[in-house]
Amino acid sequence: MKNLILLIAFISISSSAYTQHEHHSTTKDTTSVKKKPLSPRLSSMAMIGDNHVHIDYGSPRVRGRNIWNGLVAYNQVWATGAHKATWIEFSYDVKIQGENIPKGKYGFFTIPGEKEWILIINKSWDMHLADDYNSESDILRLKVKPNKNKTIVEALTYEVLETSKNKGQVKLSWENLNVSFDFENH
């Protein structure tokens, strides 16, 4: 009788283990499937004369959201992208609105407004959003007027555009507007 009970217990345990194993083999493993990021890290770069200009940024999408004075607040410092702060690097010195900017890597921040934006080039570039932003590290602030886009730009986009052999423009576009600044190799 003891042997019969042990045999029934063994069959019961074996059957349970088989059922669990069978269940696992038919369950789809969703942990190994990577989702595409909603705000991928992108780069925009160009050679302007001999100057390599490189911008690195997180590119959020509109996805039906209210962007200006909604997702992005007016009159507050914005990292001008998603996740890590946006940075810009010049391989040669440049001049922006008469100010000399030495070659190097800089944080690029903005203060969006309804009728005017402030564009900021800051010594600190490696931070999460604008968490550690300090205006004492600003090396340049520019006031610019936003322009309306002809069509909606779904993903935040930066462009480095050549305007002549040694002159260029940095332009960012998102949703229904864009802002830009010109620079010249120095």
Side-chain angles (χ1 to χ4, degrees):
M1 182 72 166
K2 206 179 207 186
N3 287 345
L4 183 58
I5 293 172
L6 284 173
L7 182 60
I8 291 171
F10 176 75
I11 291 171
S12 177
I13 291 170
S14 297
S15 174
S16 174
Y18 176 76
T19 303
Q20 287 177 354
H21 174 72
E22 186 176 283
H23 172 72
H24 285 292
S25 66
T26 59
T27 303
K28 188 174 181 181
D29 181 12
T30 56
T31 58
S32 63
V33 177
K34 275 198 165 188
K35 260 177 102 173
K36 287 185 178 180
L38 295 175
S39 301
R41 200 78 189 163
L42 300 176
S43 291
S44 180
M45 59 191 88
M47 291 298 294
I48 307 300
D50 292 332
N51 193 356
H52 181 257
V53 180
H54 184 135
I55 301 170
D56 186 272
Y57 62 102
S59 177
R61 308 304 192 253
V62 174
R63 298 188 329 247
R65 299 177 291 182
N66 176 30
I67 302 301
W68 308 117
N69 208 29
L71 182 65
V72 177
Y74 283 156
N75 305 315
Q76 291 183 19
V77 173
W78 177 39
T80 322
H83 309 300
K84 287 185 65 82
T86 296
W87 57 259
I88 185 167
E89 184 171 21
F90 302 102
S91 65
Y92 282 89
D93 296 356
V94 295
K95 190 175 274 196
I96 301 172
Q97 285 192 356
E99 293 290 326
N100 292 324
I101 308 298
K103 72 178 182 177
K105 189 184 288 190
Y106 301 97
F108 182 71
F109 300 91
T110 57
I111 302 174
E114 188 174 0
K115 296 182 181 180
E116 183 177 75
W117 281 42
I118 298 172
L119 310 183
I120 303 166
I121 295 180
N122 186 282
K123 292 176 189 173
S124 299
W125 60 270
D126 189 15
M127 68 182 78
H128 178 262
L129 297 174
D131 294 348
D132 296 324
Y133 170 80
N134 182 341
S135 63
E136 291 178 14
S137 296
D138 291 350
I139 60 169
L140 181 69
R141 281 183 168 228
L142 308 169
K143 290 183 180 181
V144 300
K145 303 248 182 258
N147 299 303
K148 292 287 182 186
N149 292 327
K150 292 179 182 176
T151 60
I152 295 293
V153 177
E154 177 65 24
L156 175 69
T157 304
Y158 280 86
E159 297 173 275
V160 180
L161 307 165
E162 183 178 50
T163 57
S164 70
K165 183 175 173 16
N166 283 307
K167 293 182 180 180
Q169 181 181 74
V170 171
K171 179 179 177 182
L172 74 96
S173 304
W174 196 22
E175 201 224 18
N176 63 348
L177 64 78
N178 68 77
V179 293
S180 63
F181 68 88
D182 295 322
F183 66 91
E184 180 178 358
N185 294 341
H186 186 39

